[in-house]
């Protein structure tokens, strides 16, 4: 497991999450703006058209039928504007950000699996992790201890020969 890769992919993941959130926020703001504009049109612009249509329809039909027809037309126009505002966001930016997000999540999952296998290997077989670290110093100690008795016995023989 490489911590630099993990940090790099966490940064990429954070950046892509910010980009995705920014794109979605812009889409929500545009949708909210369209809805507000639709409400403004419904409140002021259609009031005048409705008033003129009402006077025109009263001459043909009764006032009740004229008001009902104009109300239905207003609901239809408002429904069309809300349907346009509710469209899902589309664009290459969001697709690219989602693709980068997915690949960084995959890499982080791979790094997490590698870390898990390392940790489980150390937990299940603790000597496998410690043995290579202890093997070289133990070999050097054993070699030094084997060399010392031979070197120590030779001076003792010479000193015993010098004493006689």
């Amino acid at each position: 497991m490489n911590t630099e890769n993990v940090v790099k992919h966490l940064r990429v993941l954070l950046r892509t999450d910010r980009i995705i959130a920014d794109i979605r926020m812009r889409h929500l703001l545009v949708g909210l703006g369209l809805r507000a504009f639709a409400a403004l049109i419904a409140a002021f612009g259609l009031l005048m058209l409705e008033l003129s249509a009402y006077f025109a329809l009263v001459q043909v039909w009764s006032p009740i039928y004229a008001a009902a027809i104009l109300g239905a037309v207003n609901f239809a126009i408002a429904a069309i504007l809300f349907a346009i505002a509710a469209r899902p966001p589309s664009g290459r930016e969001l697709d690219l950000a989602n693709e980068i997000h997915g690949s960084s999540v995959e890499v982080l999952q791979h790094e997490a699996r590698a870390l898990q296998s390392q940790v489980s290997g150390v937990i299940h077989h603790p000597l496998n992790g410690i043995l290579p670290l202890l093997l070289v110093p133990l070999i050097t100690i054993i070699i030094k201890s084997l060399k010392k008795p031979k070197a120590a016995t030779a001076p003792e023989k010479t000193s015993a020969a010098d004493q006689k």
Side-chain angles (χ1 to χ4, degrees), residues 36-99:
F37 187 64
L40 185 67
I41 288 174
F44 295 113
L46 290 180
L47 181 63
M48 289 306 189
L49 290 175
E50 187 171 330
L51 187 61
S52 64
Y54 177 75
F55 286 132
L57 288 175
V58 166
Q59 293 176 1
V60 178
W61 289 314
S62 71
I64 295 172
Y65 289 131
I69 291 171
L70 290 175
V73 169
N74 286 337
F75 280 127
I77 292 172
I80 291 170
L81 289 174
F82 277 119
I84 291 171
R87 285 184 303 165
S90 62
R92 292 178 293 176
E93 293 175 346
L94 185 59
D95 294 338
L96 178 64
N98 283 329
E99 186 177 322

Side-chain angles (χ1 to χ4, degrees), residues 109-127:
Q109 287 175 348
H110 177 69
E111 293 290 335
R113 285 188 201 111
L115 176 65
Q116 181 184 9
S117 67
Q118 287 177 355
V119 169
S120 66
V122 169
I123 290 173
H124 291 301
H125 305 289
L127 291 179

Side-chain angles (χ1 to χ4, degrees), residues 15-27 89-101:
R15 287 179 186 162
T16 56
D17 282 342
R18 286 181 184 169
I19 291 170
I20 290 169
D22 184 46
I23 291 169
R24 288 184 178 161
M25 184 61 74
R26 279 189 274 149
H27 178 262
S90 62
R92 292 178 293 176
E93 293 175 346
L94 185 59
D95 294 338
L96 178 64
N98 283 329
E99 186 177 322
I100 293 171
H101 182 270

Side-chain angles (χ1 to χ4, degrees), residues 21 38 53 125 147 151 156:
H125 305 289
K147 287 182 179 179
E156 290 176 9

